[in-house]
Structures are given as structure tokens and as C-alpha cells.
Amino acid sequence: MKQIIAYSIFLFCIFCTTLNQAQDKLTVLRELGIEDGLSSYNISTTIQDSRGFIWLGTDYGVNRFDGNNFKVYTQEENGLCSNIIQWIAEDWNGNIWIASIEGSELCFNVLNTVEDKLYDLNTYLGPNIIKNLSSFAIVPPHSKELFFFRPAIAEHNYQFYAFNDGNLRPIFKKLDLVRDY
């Protein structure tokens, strides 16, 4: 009986401590807009990087929010290949990869966050970059690879590439993703 009472008191103390801690964490939401430095209300993609910054892709550039202020990267001011942002991702080195829509094609930039310098993909990867990449995705940081996807000429055929240590290598070529059964 003493064990049940002691166990009940222990659980009650844990519950009270947890309840008290939950009350201390009050979430405050605030609305931010153009008057706060956001470049556009049309947000297409968001990520939070490993340093805690919130990155927003809009139809007028990339916005980095530090919790207080926005820093805006645009085609006109920073050399983005286009202001219409489609995707943003972070690689294992903390670089921010940006995919923009230029006409009907995707174009890519890489932001070196240490230097706060924006590179176009050809400059960053070198002259042997594959053309007409259509998308990219990051795998978990421990794998240290960035994957690119490119539709091939033939219908239902696709090509996949991995970027690692400055090298772009094909993984699959002409992979038939649609099969008739």
C-alpha cells in the first residue's frame, strides 16, 4: 500500500512539473508583411535552416527572416537568375540552394551563407553542369548528397544525378517510371 501511495505521489509531482513547464511556454504569433520587409505576400516555399533562419521563396525573390528582420535576395540586387522562386533547400555545408522559374525553365543559384554570396549554378559547379534540371531535393544531412532530377527527351524517361564534394554524377539514366502491366 505504501508503494502505491509513493508511486501516486511521484506521478502527481511529475504531472504538476510537466503542467507547470507547459504553461511557461507561451507561443506568440505575429503577422508579418511587406511593411516589415517581406518582398511579397505570394510565398511558394519555406524552410528553416540549421542556424534557425526562416527562408521564404516568393514571386519577388528569397527572404531570410532572423526572428526580427528580413533580408531580401533578388535578381536585381543580388543576381538571382529569376525572382520567381520555386524551391529552397539547405545542403550539409549550410549553403542555400534556390530554384527559380525563368520563362518555362528552372534555373538554380547557390547562396554561400558564410560569405553571404550568391552564385549561379554554372559558376558554383563548373562548366560541366547538366542543362535543364527540373527539380532537386536534399536527403538527410548525414548522407551529404544533393539529388537533381531531369526529364529526358523520351516520354516517361527520367535522369537522376547526385551532387557530392563538388562532383555531379549520374545515378540513373533513362529510368522508366511508368510500366504497363
Side-chain angles (χ1 to χ4, degrees):
M1 182 70 172
K2 288 182 181 180
Q3 289 177 336
I4 293 174
I5 292 173
Y7 184 69
S8 297
I9 292 172
F10 175 74
L11 288 177
F12 179 75
C13 290
I14 295 288
F15 175 75
C16 289
T17 303
T18 305
L19 185 61
N20 188 31
Q21 288 176 351
Q23 290 175 351
D24 290 342
K25 295 181 181 180
L26 179 62
T27 302
V28 177
L29 297 176
R30 63 183 175 153
E31 186 176 325
L32 299 169
I34 293 173
E35 62 278 356
D36 300 300
L38 183 65
S39 66
S40 172
Y41 285 114
N42 297 320
I43 298 170
S44 57
T45 184
T46 62
I47 66 163
Q48 182 173 12
D49 71 14
S50 59
R51 295 169 303 151
F53 292 120
I54 303 294
W55 295 85
L56 306 162
T58 72
D59 63 355
Y60 193 67
V62 175
N63 299 254
R64 185 191 73 194
F65 185 65
D66 64 8
N68 295 306
N69 301 302
F70 285 100
K71 178 167 184 176
V72 179
Y73 299 86
T74 65
Q75 186 176 23
E76 297 81 8
E77 297 292 321
N78 308 96
L80 277 175
C81 56
S82 171
N83 282 327
I84 304 170
I85 307 304
Q86 187 69 29
W87 298 100
I88 302 173
E90 180 183 26
D91 70 15
W92 53 94
N93 289 322
N95 296 316
I96 301 299
W97 291 69
I98 303 161
S100 309
I101 298 174
E102 183 178 28
S104 62
E105 301 283 326
L106 280 182
C107 58
F108 294 88
N109 290 100
V110 181
L111 177 66
N112 180 318
T113 56
V114 174
E115 300 172 351
D116 195 33
K117 187 171 180 182
L118 198 64
Y119 296 93
D120 66 72
L121 198 59
N122 286 329
T123 302
Y124 190 76
L125 295 180
N128 296 326
I129 182 65
I130 54 178
K131 301 293 181 194
N132 301 321
L133 295 171
S134 66
S135 186
F136 67 93
I138 297 280
V139 295
H142 62 274
S143 73
K144 294 192 174 186
E145 285 191 310
L146 178 68
F147 291 95
F148 291 93
F149 163 79
R150 175 182 170 213
I153 304 299
E155 188 176 345
H156 304 304
N157 287 328
Y158 300 90
Q159 298 172 345
F160 293 90
Y161 297 85
F163 174 73
N164 186 339
D165 295 327
N167 297 313
L168 193 63
R169 63 180 171 78
I171 299 173
F172 299 110
K173 285 189 177 181
K174 298 182 181 176
L175 177 66
D176 188 1
L177 297 178
V178 179
R179 296 191 186 275
D180 295 324
Y181 292 98

